[in-house]
């Protein structure tokens, strides 16, 4: 594609002005063109002062970021925005440790200007990082996962479902992975897989890409709307054990990721890949960032945890920029 079709990266706020660190953004474009980006921010990931913050763009102008949720003096995590029938819903996690976090939700009826009081779901349900998808039958399907330590750290993936626009989520089915038997086909080395990114390419035909500790993205497929899933299998696509996102647009799958095949590998570059055969094969589509070194902090650069949506004309992407800001890009299709 031609570079003039992509707006240059734009940092949503000045580094260090509002907080020391930020991460894990979610993006939503409303029907009137308003863009919402939510993320967690505070002193550092897991810090007790980390809350959920929002940046809002109306008529092309970004407003100053503001904290919209802080329900306890412990870390907040992974906000996820979704459009519902009468507004916008936000789901986020609260907990000192990932293994113990719980899900909370709140809504806005005026395009993100004001929000309801946060309400707990009572369990760690709903979307864990990537956005839920609206299935052809109207249900919301969310990729969920857990990170638990028993005899060793184990990561597991699930599909959760809502029939009431996310007011409640319930467990629909596990997304099976193999990480116990090293000789088994498609065994994932290490802890396993988390944070499914979903798409539906025909009614009831749903697919999930999984972040893994094995150096590659794994995939699972469902032909019954997420009620059952095939065992996850290795796609051969590189994964650095960091966040991904995907959208299905006009018969093509767009995947945004760090194309690095190493567990806890570098979070640079950040690229969009495209598949025109149902996600079987991908080709490079656009490089969002490609700077290897963060000279300000003298360490590897970080462009991570991308979130991506399509508004009918363009891809909109938000992502972590060095943990000091959140970047935004718009790529016309």
């Amino acid at each position: 594609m031609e570079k003039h079709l992509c707006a240059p990266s734009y940092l949503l706020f000045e580094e260090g002005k509002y907080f020391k660190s930020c991460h894990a953004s979610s993006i939503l474009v409303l029907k009137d063109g308003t863009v919402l980006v939510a993320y967690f921010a505070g002193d550092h990931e897991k810090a007790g002062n980390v809350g959920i913050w929002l940046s809002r763009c109306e008529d092309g102008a970004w407003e100053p970021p503001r904290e919209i949720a802080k329900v306890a003096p412990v870390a907040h995590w992974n906000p996820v925005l979704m459009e519902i029938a009468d507004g916008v819903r936000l789901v986020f996690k609260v907990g000192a440790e990932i293994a113990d976090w719980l899900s909370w939700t709140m809504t806005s009826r005026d395009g993100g200007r004001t929000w309801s009081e946060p309400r707990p779901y009572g369990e760690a349900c709903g979307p864990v990082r990537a956005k839920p998808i609206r299935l052809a039958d109207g249900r919301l399907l969310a990729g969920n996962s857990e990170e638990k330590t028993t005899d060793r750290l184990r990561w597991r993936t699930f599909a959760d479902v809502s029939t009431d626009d996310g007011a409640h989520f319930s467990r629909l089915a596990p997304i099976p992975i193999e990480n116990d038997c090293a000789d088994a086909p498609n065994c994932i080395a290490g802890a396993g897989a988390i944070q499914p990114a979903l798409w539906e390419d025909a009614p009831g035909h749903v697919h999930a890409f999984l972040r893994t500790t094995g150096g590659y993205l794994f995939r699972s497929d469902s032909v019954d709307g997420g009620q059952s899933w095939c065992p996850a299998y290795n796609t051969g696509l590189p994964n650095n054990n960091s966040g991904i996102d995907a959208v299905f647009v006009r018969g093509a799958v767009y995947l945004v990721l760090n194309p690095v095949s190493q567990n806890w590998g570098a979070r640079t570059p950040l690229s969009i890949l495209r598949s025109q055969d149902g996600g079987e094969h991908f080709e490079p589509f656009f490089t969002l960032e490609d700077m290897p070194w963060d000279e300000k902090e003298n360490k590897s650069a970080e462009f991570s945890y991308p979130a991506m949506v399509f508004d009918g004309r363009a891809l909109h992407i938000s992502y972590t920029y060095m943990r000091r800001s959140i970047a935004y890009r718009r790529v016309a299709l």
Side-chain angles (χ1 to χ4, degrees):
M1 64 175 297
E2 298 296 328
K3 286 191 175 182
H4 72 267
L5 296 178
C6 180
S9 60
Y10 177 84
L11 299 186
L12 301 188
F13 43 83
E14 181 181 342
E15 298 177 13
K17 182 175 182 179
Y18 302 95
F19 34 71
K20 294 180 181 179
S21 178
C22 55
H23 190 41
S25 66
S26 178
I27 189 167
L28 182 65
V29 181
L30 305 182
K31 291 181 176 61
D32 66 1
T34 298
V35 182
L36 304 179
V37 179
Y39 40 91
F40 70 72
D43 282 350
H44 57 81
E45 185 172 343
K46 294 182 68 172
N49 69 347
V50 170
I52 304 300
W53 289 66
L54 182 78
S55 290
R56 183 175 181 278
C57 179
E58 185 174 8
D59 297 327
W62 286 93
E63 302 169 359
R66 56 195 173 91
E67 189 177 52
I68 59 172
K70 183 63 176 171
V71 302
V74 296
H76 290 35
W77 312 73
N78 295 12
V80 179
L81 292 162
M82 64 194 80
E83 192 162 17
I84 57 177
D86 55 353
V88 178
R89 182 174 299 281
L90 176 72
V91 176
F92 59 96
K93 304 293 189 275
V94 177
E97 299 292 338
I98 294 174
D100 303 317
W101 66 19
L102 298 176
S103 297
W104 289 66
T105 188
M106 54 198 294
T107 55
S108 173
R109 311 299 182 191
D110 57 6
R113 294 182 184 88
T114 62
W115 293 83
S116 66
E117 286 297 315
R119 174 179 62 83
Y121 281 130
E123 56 184 340
C125 63
V128 69
R129 199 203 75 83
K131 62 191 176 300
I133 59 172
R134 180 79 63 178
L135 296 176
D137 64 12
R139 296 177 299 157
L140 281 175
L141 191 69
N144 196 3
S145 57
E146 65 179 24
E147 304 173 41
K148 300 289 188 181
T149 300
T150 52
D151 55 326
R152 63 182 178 89
L153 179 63
R154 292 178 180 271
W155 290 0
R156 293 291 182 264
T157 50
F158 311 95
D160 289 359
V161 69
S162 174
T163 59
D164 57 7
D165 263 351
H168 306 85
F169 277 93
S170 60
R171 179 62 39 81
L172 185 61
I175 301 175
I177 66 170
E178 173 58 63
N179 74 325
D180 287 320
C181 180
D183 296 330
N186 293 303
C187 182
I188 301 174
I194 53 173
Q195 299 177 354
L198 309 178
W199 79 94
E200 183 182 40
D201 55 13
H205 289 247
V206 187
H207 315 277
F209 279 134
L210 311 177
R211 164 187 174 178
T212 80
T213 53
Y216 297 94
L217 285 185
F218 274 56
R219 172 175 166 171
S220 181
D221 307 298
S222 172
V223 296
D224 56 12
Q227 296 182 84
S228 63
W229 297 81
C230 74
Y233 55 93
N234 192 339
T235 66
L237 292 166
N239 184 234
N240 59 340
N241 191 2
S242 186
I244 59 170
D245 206 354
V247 295
F248 182 71
V249 178
R250 302 172 188 155
V253 182
Y254 293 85
L255 171 65
V256 59
L257 79 169
N258 300 117
V260 177
S261 185
Q262 178 186 355
N263 187 31
W264 298 119
R267 293 182 169 187
T268 183
L270 183 66
S271 302
I272 301 174
L273 308 182
R274 179 176 63 182
S275 171
Q276 299 185 81
D277 61 1
E280 296 298 318
H281 305 90
F282 280 85
E283 61 186 359
F285 181 71
F286 196 83
T287 299
L288 295 162
E289 301 282 357
D290 189 11
M291 184 171 69
W293 198 250
D294 177 5
E295 300 209 356
K296 183 173 182 178
E297 297 193 17
N298 196 32
K299 63 181 182 179
S300 177
E302 177 175 354
F303 311 103
S304 64
Y305 269 55
M308 182 167 61
V309 295
F310 179 67
D311 69 349
R313 297 176 297 175
L315 299 172
H316 296 255
I317 308 103
S318 64
Y319 52 92
T320 297
Y321 188 94
M322 311 293 190
R323 301 270 179 151
R324 299 191 297 266
S325 191
I326 301 294
Y328 166 74
R329 300 289 287 267
R330 179 184 182 275
V331 182
L333 294 184

